[in-house]
Amino acid sequence: DIARALPGTLVADLESMAMAEAKTRRMVEKQASFIIPTALLAAGIWVALLALSNVRERRAEIGILHAMSVGRGTIAAAFIGRALLLGLVGATLGFVVGTWLALHFGPQAFPLTAGKMTPAFALLTWSLILAPSLCVLATYLPTLLAVTQGPTELLRDE
């Protein structure tokens, strides 16, 4: 009615735009509730397998360190430190690449909300906390394996 009464003016139906935005938000939340836990589980398993592989590849080195009376805490700190570093690098790269992908492809996927897309720096903070924590948790059992074996057991095959 307003557009007919005032020719040449731009009339926007805010209700339909708000409904479309709410529908998009619900869709993203629904997908995220499945994708995020699945991705975290897969990442944790992957990091645990990488850590286990690292421990197995370094059996001789770990055995020599044990034989030289290097403490178990020092050996564990090396593996845990590597996990922390892996988590920090992964979180930073993940945030940068994810932000770039969202800003680059997001406007095409969500044209109604394209103008509101900005980097979510709060997610960077959470990433820098949670990714290293996940890596340390996933590395715990392989690290325990590395420090509980004796030098004779580790050097037997060398």
Side-chain angles (χ1 to χ4, degrees):
D1 290 340
I2 294 173
R4 280 190 304 240
L6 302 169
T9 60
L10 177 63
V11 178
D13 183 9
L14 297 180
E15 183 179 357
S16 65
M17 289 176 63
M19 287 177 56
E21 188 174 329
K23 182 180 177 183
T24 301
R25 185 179 306 113
R26 283 192 304 274
M27 180 191 68
V28 169
E29 288 172 355
K30 184 177 178 183
Q31 296 297 323
S33 68
F34 172 75
I35 292 172
I36 291 172
T38 303
L40 287 174
L41 180 64
I45 291 170
W46 184 42
V47 170
L49 291 173
L50 286 173
L52 184 61
S53 172
N54 188 34
V55 166
R56 288 182 183 217
E57 288 175 9
R58 302 197 182 286
R59 285 175 59 90
E61 295 170 33
I62 296 166
I64 291 169
L65 290 172
H66 277 303
M68 292 173 47
S69 299
V70 173
R72 292 175 186 221
T74 304
I75 296 170
F79 285 101
I80 297 298
R82 182 178 174 146
L84 278 171
L85 185 62
L86 177 68
L88 289 171
V89 169
T92 304
L93 286 175
F95 178 79
V96 169
V97 171
T99 299
W100 180 83
L101 287 171
L103 294 176
H104 186 71
F105 294 109
Q108 296 165 357
F110 306 106
L112 291 177
T113 58
K116 296 180 182 179
M117 290 186 183
T118 60
F121 290 106
L123 292 178
L124 176 61
T125 303
W126 280 107
S127 296
L128 291 173
I129 294 168
L130 295 177
S133 299
L134 176 67
C135 287
V136 167
L137 183 64
T139 306
Y140 176 74
L141 288 177
T143 299
L144 197 59
L145 179 67
V147 298
T148 57
Q149 295 178 348
T152 54
E153 188 178 340
L154 290 165
L155 295 172
R156 183 177 302 139
D157 295 331
E158 295 302 317

